[in-house]
Amino acid sequence: MVELLKCRSLAKKLLAFCLFLCFASFAFQSVEAKVRYHKWEVKYEYKSPDCYKRLVITINGRSPGPTINAQQGDTVIVELKNSLLTENVAIHWHGIRQHGTPWSDGTEGVTQCPIVPGDTFVYKFVVDRPGTYLYHAHYGMQRESGLYGLIRVSLPDGESEPFSYDYDRSVILTDWYHKSTYEQATGLASIPFVWVGEPQSILIQGRGKFNCSTPGIETGLCNATNPECTPFSLTVVPGKTYRLRIGSLTALSALSFEIEGHNMTVVEADGHNVEPFVVQNLFIYSGETYSVLVKADQDSSRNYWASAHVVSRNSTTPNGLGIINYYPNHRLRSPPTIPPIGPRWNYVAPRIAQSQAIKALKGYIHTPPERPDRVIVMLNTQNRIDGHVRWSVNNVSFNLPHTPYLIALKQNLLHTFEQTPPPEGYDATNYDIYGVAKNVNATISNSIYHLKFNSTVDLILQNANTMNVNNSETHPWHLHGHDFWVLGYGTGKFNISIDSEKYNLVNPIMKNTVPIHPYGWTALRFRANNPGVWLFHCHIESHFFMGMGVVFEEGVEKVNRLPTSIMGCGETKRFLKP
Amino acid sequence: MVELLKCRSLAKKLLAFCLFLCFASFAFQSVEAKVRYHKWEVKYEYKSPDCYKRLVITINGRSPGPTINAQQGDTVIVELKNSLLTENVAIHWHGIRQHGTPWSDGTEGVTQCPIVPGDTFVYKFVVDRPGTYLYHAHYGMQRESGLYGLIRVSLPDGESEPFSYDYDRSVILTDWYHKSTYEQATGLASIPFVWVGEPQSILIQGRGKFNCSTPGIETGLCNATNPECTPFSLTVVPGKTYRLRIGSLTALSALSFEIEGHNMTVVEADGHNVEPFVVQNLFIYSGETYSVLVKADQDSSRNYWASAHVVSRNSTTPNGLGIINYYPNHRLRSPPTIPPIGPRWNYVAPRIAQSQAIKALKGYIHTPPERPDRVIVMLNTQNRIDGHVRWSVNNVSFNLPHTPYLIALKQNLLHTFEQTPPPEGYDATNYDIYGVAKNVNATISNSIYHLKFNSTVDLILQNANTMNVNNSETHPWHLHGHDFWVLGYGTGKFNISIDSEKYNLVNPIMKNTVPIHPYGWTALRFRANNPGVWLFHCHIESHFFMGMGVVFEEGVEKVNRLPTSIMGCGETKRFLKP
């Protein structure tokens, strides 16, 4: 008995010491540590995120990958080992502007050669703003094989957010296909064109539920009781307020996210503080992040549904469902209600209304330059070029060169891509944006826009009809290396003399990803003040694959000596001097 | 009417002129042309070679790829464009010794970095011997995705083969999986191990027939009436003799090939003339080629089956069937007989007998050196290492380094692989080849054998029991960069003092691929006279993936300056000096 007591006393002391050590190391880290080092191994593994078994690209065995937590001003280092068998990789740090490190943007073909199997590549960059960001593969259509995750950057010690909450939680929303990206891409590049179709599932934080009784699927692949596809569950303490960071990395789908019976107050968008507004459902497009505040103020005797619903496409994909778990109910106890259906897929007005509601928070406004030095109007169309279905900007469909632009431009390999710049606009007078896209003179090109350093550039994204009658899609456009001011949204054909007068120059939000709505336009402004080469593209994986993107160069002469680790492909082989 | 006649006359003259031009250019080519130039594009396409639709790696839209036809002494140039989306590639020219061009052997990790998507790589080599050779992907497990074909090298003008025939035809035999190589490889590398299983089909010249009524398959993928899976049919004229060049590039299976009711006279093996012998069925192992003479001397009122049957494994794979079509029957008319069943899978004696029957043809004998300078005994075992199932040679399981050996050795990057050489043998006295493999001290290594230039090396391949009771498999071993003399085959444990006395030093055949039979040994001799770095490995795709191979270096100091096109990965990046 005495022995036992002694033992207990020793154990207590040991525990106290351990706690002290933990706390000490934590305190030390949060004050001093400025380098966040991650060692990642990327490989294929069999996973069943929606109960259906397929190959998934994992990071250290996980998909979604590990969350990168850092503090403003920290340096993030990711040492990435490619353990895919025959397949290369590159990872983009979505929303991180890469000031001074344009070679770490992770955009294959733009800022680096792909990382070949067996090689280790080191990404190193500073996270210079607090907020919620993403990372994901930026090579081929790999993103939708599961290689993605979240970046959370906190404020410096002593500073606090302009909103308050008790707990900080996050979810990434994705859509999920059962076919491999090779299968999808082969169809997209085929004549005749084979569309990938609608995704099989919506995943909330990597978890969904496909109906294993679906007829015609291969036997043995779907297992409804696989623990990998137990639903996402967020436990909340009654009365507490949660900051929920929501990111979307869907391959295709625009989503409406809601928590049954709860309001959400939007407070952050793409790393910028938002003048708060309340929504019942949050529309979120691929590449966007939001923080919403949710108070656990409902009946605590039950759980509630979290639901992600496809909008903007007449989709067959069922809603993704998770559980908001009121403590102390069981975390997987099914809510007693029918899950929310979500808004009508083709009801555009509330989506435009939400886009327009997002303004910069007072006290956190970055005032944009009053007028632009240059305006580029970008007509978004679907075209058929040489028998292939493509997406184009001003009738030019983008393809990547074999030598990454950043290297080509810095090392004077200008023959590696077309030098005639792409068009500044389209024939707005005569083009009917409501008619089926005429496919006159559409071409495929890898030419780029050169921007005067430090100049102010307006981008007018103009939507139009696709190749199908009465159809215009929603496209989330993402700009690398910058945030832009969102000056305005409108419906119909943009008219520069009228519409530019209505720009919000008072408190426009800054973002890195923004939708254009069907038959609508979106006006953006940014300062070309980040030396490098930057992709601007539709964040729908298949649309970018089919040419929906452009590239900007600015101040590339100010970029420091490039690391050779980004080289090895295309014409960079001429630098091999053994 | 007059106009019409004039027109006809003009057309006739034009045709005659065209024919003259064609003939003239053909005649010119066959006498003078010494460069055989091929431009290939490699990409994924949906194909249904056995009626089941899956992604196939094609060359210029075809699988099997185009046959390379050349004449002894010609230079073959293949300009290979990688149009796979995210996947690299490398192609090995199987049986071509690459004298003076070791960097063109196409062995990823040994002689080159992989070719990344978008890049074009130029293979250039001389075909210095007549005969039948192969080419195929040598990266990951890509070969079994359909990237393979045949090389036929004819004699110089005025020379003739020591056997006569009327027509020259060829077929490649393969086995075929419905799962992608990623899926297979992920299983092989997993803990617990997931075996790929037996192939779904045997393909004759890229054509097979899977039973679309098989339960449990995904609907919509199998179509029994797809023209892509009409059977291979070889039309023969009664009374004529056919040289049939047969190559095997199976992923897994050893095969017995037969033509119902017809004898086959074996006249060539791996590019060497054979003292002719007659077989009813030809055993052929992955990586081997044979020429057989077949006389169309049977009942010409009907067609006959050609059948390829799995031996050496208790396989569930049905026989591959083709049609020997007696002109003028319809080429797809079904023979009136039940297809041949083929020999019992576990009847080893006739396979050993055939191996032993293959001798060099009189007048074409290359006499081997009388004795070796070095003997390396290679115990083949299956092992479990760190939880993974692996194949090993002398308890060392091979893995490829990230910097190809050829570059590492020429450019003094010796830190890129282990420098301790692998063992010269095993503890033959105490090891029980009939017992389940002990897994004592098995390791994974990328170390290599250094051979004295011009020395004579004997390789004794010693088979043993696998990790399963009473099981020993058949392994076809293939040597790059050389032909070897096949000195003998035996059963049981090799005894150097007794067995080496029985070596055939009189008329041994030279080959580049040779089987070891269950619980047997095979003795080979070769001259290390080809400066370079050469892989020697089991040609079963999954076995090599699991470590069944070794590498030889010889006279690497005599290798000329390496082309930089083979570089770009691993430590070769340090040569990037922009």
Side-chain angles (χ1 to χ4, degrees), chain A residues 272-292:
Chain A
H272 289 274
N273 294 320
V274 167
E275 191 64 44
F277 64 100
V278 174
V279 295
Q280 276 75 51
N281 64 294
L282 178 78
F283 295 106
I284 184 166
Y285 306 91
S286 182
E288 289 190 321
T289 67
Y290 290 98
S291 284
V292 298

Side-chain angles (χ1 to χ4, degrees), chain B residues 122-234:
Chain B
V122 180
Y123 287 102
K124 185 175 175 183
F125 52 87
V126 173
V127 287
D128 58 358
R129 284 182 307 130
T132 309
Y133 308 100
L134 303 161
Y135 66 81
H136 57 79
H138 214 301
Y139 184 52
M141 290 171 55
Q142 273 178 347
R143 188 181 88 214
E144 60 186 83
S145 291
L147 209 178
Y148 64 89
L150 204 76
I151 303 171
R152 291 156 49 130
V153 184
S154 59
L155 282 164
D157 290 345
E159 292 187 32
S160 59
E161 311 279 1
F163 45 88
S164 59
Y165 51 89
D166 299 300
Y167 297 102
D168 192 342
R169 300 284 182 267
S170 45
V171 288
I172 305 185
L173 309 176
T174 48
D175 46 13
W176 192 246
Y177 287 99
H178 291 170
K179 295 283 182 200
S180 72
T181 56
Y182 305 94
E183 294 174 289
Q184 295 179 44
T186 302
L188 295 176
S190 292
I191 301 175
F193 178 73
V194 181
W195 171 237
V196 298
E198 299 296 318
Q200 278 66 53
S201 301
I202 303 294
L203 308 186
I204 300 180
Q205 196 57 17
R207 289 162 179 277
K209 190 154 290 269
F210 181 71
N211 177 5
C212 289
S213 308
T214 305
I217 62 170
E218 186 180 332
T219 53
L221 293 185
C222 201
N223 173 7
T225 62
N226 189 320
E228 288 176 10
C229 59
T230 52
F232 169 77
S233 171
L234 173 67

Side-chain angles (χ1 to χ4, degrees), chain A residues 201-231:
Chain A
S201 300
I202 304 294
L203 308 186
I204 300 180
Q205 197 59 16
R207 289 162 178 278
K209 190 155 291 266
F210 181 72
N211 177 3
C212 288
S213 308
T214 304
I217 62 172
E218 185 181 331
T219 52
L221 294 185
C222 202
N223 173 9
T225 62
N226 190 319
E228 289 177 9
C229 60
T230 52

Side-chain angles (χ1 to χ4, degrees), chain A residues 5 51 63 80 114 130 137 173 179 194 228 235 247 409 411 440 451 464 473 501 504 509 515 517:
Chain A
L5 284 175
C51 307
S63 172
L80 182 79
L173 309 176
K179 294 284 180 197
V194 181
E228 289 177 9
T235 300
L409 285 160
Q411 307 295 150
V440 183
L451 304 180
E473 300 197 358
E501 292 302 310
N504 174 13
I509 189 73
H517 296 290

Side-chain angles (χ1 to χ4, degrees), chain A residues 88 216 565 570 573 575 577, chain B residues 88 119 219 565 570 573 575 577:
Chain A
N88 308 313
S565 60
K573 286 205 165 180
F575 304 139
K577 288 155 193 160
Chain B
N88 308 313
D119 274 3
T219 53
S565 60
K573 287 205 164 181
F575 303 138
K577 289 156 193 159

Side-chain angles (χ1 to χ4, degrees), chain A residues 321-362:
Chain A
L321 293 175
I323 294 170
I324 303 300
N325 162 233
Y326 270 74
Y327 183 82
N329 293 286
H330 188 279
R331 55 181 285 273
L332 295 177
R333 185 179 166 201
S334 205
T337 45
I338 293 166
I341 295 166
R344 277 215 327 264
W345 72 269
N346 55 356
Y347 193 26
V348 182
R351 302 208 295 270
I352 298 176
Q354 182 193 300
S355 290
Q356 289 173 333
I358 304 169
K359 313 286 185 198
L361 177 63
K362 245 180 246 104

Side-chain angles (χ1 to χ4, degrees), chain B residues 353-367:
Chain B
Q354 182 192 298
S355 291
Q356 288 172 333
I358 304 169
K359 313 284 185 199
L361 177 64
K362 245 181 244 97
Y364 295 85
I365 296 167
H366 302 270
T367 306

Side-chain angles (χ1 to χ4, degrees), chain A residues 44-46 52 55 81 85-88 114 116-119 139-142 179 182-183 185-186 216-219 221 402 411 545 564-565 567-570 572-573 575-578, chain B residues 44-46 52 55 81 85-88 114 116-119 139-142 179 182-183 185-186 216-219 221 402 411 545 564-565 567-570 572-573 575-578:
Chain A
Y44 275 111
E45 291 182 60
Y46 273 110
Y52 186 96
L55 284 185
K81 164 103 190 266
L85 180 57
T86 52
E87 192 174 338
N88 308 313
V116 305
D119 274 4
Y139 185 51
M141 291 171 54
Q142 272 178 348
K179 294 284 180 197
Y182 306 93
E183 293 175 290
T186 302
I217 62 172
E218 185 181 331
T219 52
L221 294 185
H402 305 316
Q411 307 295 150
F545 180 77
T564 53
S565 60
M567 304 178 189
C569 63
T572 72
K573 286 205 165 180
F575 304 139
L576 284 159
K577 288 155 193 160
Chain B
Y44 274 111
E45 291 182 59
Y46 273 110
Y52 186 96
L55 285 185
K81 164 103 190 269
L85 180 56
T86 51
E87 193 174 338
N88 308 313
V116 305
D119 274 3
Y139 184 52
M141 290 171 55
Q142 273 178 347
K179 295 283 182 200
Y182 305 94
E183 294 174 289
T186 302
I217 62 170
E218 186 180 332
T219 53
L221 293 185
H402 305 316
Q411 306 295 151
F545 179 78
T564 53
S565 60
M567 305 179 188
C569 63
T572 72
K573 287 205 164 181
F575 303 138
L576 283 159
K577 289 156 193 159

